[in-house]
Amino acid sequence: YNIGKKEKYYLTFVCGVYHIDDIGLSVTAMEDRAHTALKSNDSSRSELCVCNYYADEMRSKLINEKILENRMRDSLKNKEFEVYLQPKYSLDTKKIYGAEALIRWVHPTKGLLPPAEFIPLFERNGFIIELDLFVFEEVCALIKKWMDNGVEAHPISVNMSRAHFVKDDFLDRYIQIRDKYGVPAEYLEIELTETMVFSNPQAFSKIIREIHEAGFKCSMDDFGSGYSSLNMLKNLDLDTVKLDGAFFNSKTMEDKKENIIVKSIIDMTKALDMLTVAEGIESEKQMDFLNHTACDYVQGYIISKPLPIKEFEKLIR
Ligand code: C2E
Ligand code: MG
Ligand code: MG
């Protein structure tokens, strides 16, 4: 179809199908299942016509999500969400420099849930905004406690979902919380993921500028996991680039050419005056490789898994 001038406008046709294999089911229940199949459509698919067939797992997934959704607000009130800290280790000083805050859900019936089980849902229903602010407040309270007790304060980074950016004043609540605890902004870093840049580089630059104007540090998370390029990095005013673990997997480490490429990427990032963190580092071999590069920090199981706050405090002590 031609809309306006010569723009083509593509309509996607999605249908949900329930194959009737239980004739005892009411028509309404059958319709429900076809509808479940329709709603389970993965919007990342680019076909113009998609036909989704109902499967029992779709229903159990939706039911499971409903259970999580029903509980999420009470869980936040009851402190069933817990902030874990994963140390970042300095290759220069050989000491723990800071940490990344990672959320865990200690669900009353399901036990300890990793973020992959609830963050995609919370990004869809918007609850991630409240959760991110909760994490940020816990981090500010902790740094204040360290400062009050004369303990050396360590900088902490928090993950920020793209869901925040729908509001122009999304940083105001972050600033209010930071001021409430009187935490110097240089202790706080906001991690953004590279997929956000790809969808809108101009908007991304503006967000980085605003984060800096508010006084926070800003890093790009998971660099190298998607399509972002070094060319794009040079146009972004970031403090830190977190190199995705995929750069350091065993296949890459064994290939001399790949090694040279990874080293060059680290060198180029340094030349752009950005700090580098290597993520997902698990082996001595990877550490050995990184010790021969200009990389600044390491975050991975080789140093430590994400820890409950008390255990992190023990570690830095
Ligand atoms: P991320 O921000 O890239 O965090 C790093 C993830 O890698 C963490 O997974 C961490 O546990 C894992 N990791 C660290 N070292 C290693 C290693 O040596 N080997 C392996 N295999 N994995 C390692 P986690 O905690 O499951 O978090 C997954 C993702 O969920 C995070 O990726 C982040 O994108 C998101 N996330 C976590 N907490 C929050 C939050 O408070 N807010 C938002 N918006 N997203 C969060
Ligand atoms: Mg992160
Ligand atoms: Mg990451």
Side-chain angles (χ1 to χ4, degrees):
Y1 293 97
N2 286 335
I3 293 204
K5 292 174 195 139
K6 288 188 178 111
E7 290 295 320
K8 269 190 183 170
Y9 185 82
Y10 293 98
L11 273 178
T12 307
F13 182 75
V14 187
C15 54
V17 179
Y18 171 60
H19 183 269
I20 303 171
D21 44 22
D22 176 3
I23 53 164
L25 222 55
S26 70
V27 174
T28 319
M30 289 175 187
E31 277 178 348
D32 265 358
R33 290 182 178 196
H35 202 235
T36 300
L38 178 70
K39 282 194 291 186
S40 302
N41 182 49
D42 171 5
S43 58
S44 64
R45 283 165 65 174
S46 58
E47 293 102 301
L48 287 179
C49 180
V50 185
C51 196
N52 287 323
Y53 283 83
Y54 171 82
D56 279 336
E57 303 83 70
M58 289 176 179
R59 209 159 68 106
S60 40
K61 188 169 169 248
L62 278 186
I63 292 171
N64 189 38
E65 287 191 348
K66 202 70 215 155
I67 293 172
L68 298 183
E69 217 164 20
N70 285 344
R71 182 78 201 178
M72 64 190 188
R73 286 195 175 75
D74 284 343
S75 279
L76 193 58
K77 267 193 229 123
N78 301 344
K79 296 246 169 178
E80 285 163 13
F81 287 100
E82 195 180 335
V83 174
Y84 274 48
L85 295 176
Q86 187 176 35
K88 290 178 199 158
Y89 172 86
S90 163
L91 287 166
D92 177 29
T93 65
K94 313 275 181 243
K95 279 188 190 156
I96 289 164
Y97 145 83
E100 173 177 9
L102 295 158
I103 193 74
R104 299 288 180 266
W105 190 354
V106 192
H107 195 277
T109 54
K110 292 174 180 289
L112 191 78
L113 298 177
E117 300 214 8
F118 54 88
I119 286 195
L121 169 69
F122 292 175
E123 292 206 310
R124 272 182 276 129
N125 68 17
F127 190 64
I128 191 69
I129 295 183
E130 293 312 310
L131 195 61
D132 279 353
L133 286 161
F134 165 78
V135 172
F136 185 70
E137 179 146 12
E138 291 282 295
V139 164
C140 288
L142 178 66
I143 297 176
K144 177 175 169 28
K145 187 187 92 180
W146 287 339
M147 293 193 315
D148 288 349
N149 295 346
V151 178
E152 187 194 350
H154 288 69
I156 300 180
S157 58
V158 294
N159 293 283
M160 184 187 270
S161 162
R162 60 160 73 211
H164 292 267
F165 307 148
V166 294
K167 279 198 178 164
D168 280 343
D169 58 357
F170 70 97
L171 276 173
D172 290 2
R173 287 176 75 189
Y174 280 85
I175 297 168
Q176 275 162 15
I177 293 170
R178 180 194 66 202
D179 292 351
K180 175 173 153 194
Y181 292 90
V183 175
E186 69 261 26
Y187 285 113
L188 301 162
E189 181 168 294
I190 292 178
E191 296 194 7
L192 308 172
T193 60
E194 68 158 18
T195 49
M196 302 175 186
V197 198
F198 198 63
S199 51
N200 193 343
Q202 266 104 30
F204 195 76
S205 295
K206 183 168 166 265
I207 288 164
I208 297 173
R209 201 166 49 243
E210 285 167 0
I211 289 174
H212 279 153
E213 277 164 11
F216 302 113
K217 297 235 162 57
C218 183
S219 55
M220 180 183 286
D221 203 358
D222 305 335
F223 179 74
S225 63
Y227 299 100
S228 47
S229 66
L230 281 165
N231 200 35
M232 182 198 66
L233 266 193
K234 85 176 192 311
N235 301 321
L236 296 172
D237 180 25
L238 293 156
D239 301 289
T240 305
V241 176
K242 302 190 79 180
L243 302 164
D244 194 75
F247 276 125
F248 313 101
N249 66 30
S250 51
K251 216 168 122 218
T252 313
M253 290 292 93
E254 271 154 32
D255 186 331
K256 282 218 167 69
K257 276 192 208 150
E258 290 274 3
N259 269 250
I260 295 169
I261 293 170
V262 176
K263 277 189 181 156
S264 315
I265 290 172
I266 295 174
D267 285 343
M268 284 192 233
T269 312
K270 297 297 303 170
L272 292 168
D273 220 10
M274 297 172 188
L275 293 165
T276 50
V277 179
E279 283 194 285
I281 302 305
E282 295 180 352
S283 70
E284 286 294 345
K285 196 170 171 188
Q286 291 168 316
M287 277 300 266
D288 195 43
F289 169 81
L290 287 164
N291 270 314
H292 293 90
T293 68
C295 183
D296 300 285
Y297 305 111
V298 167
Q299 186 184 336
Y301 296 167
I302 183 104
I303 305 298
S304 165
K305 289 199 167 178
L307 301 169
I309 289 176
K310 284 216 159 58
E311 283 182 42
F312 178 81
E313 288 179 317
K314 256 190 235 158
L315 191 75
I316 54 174
R317 239 185 278 136

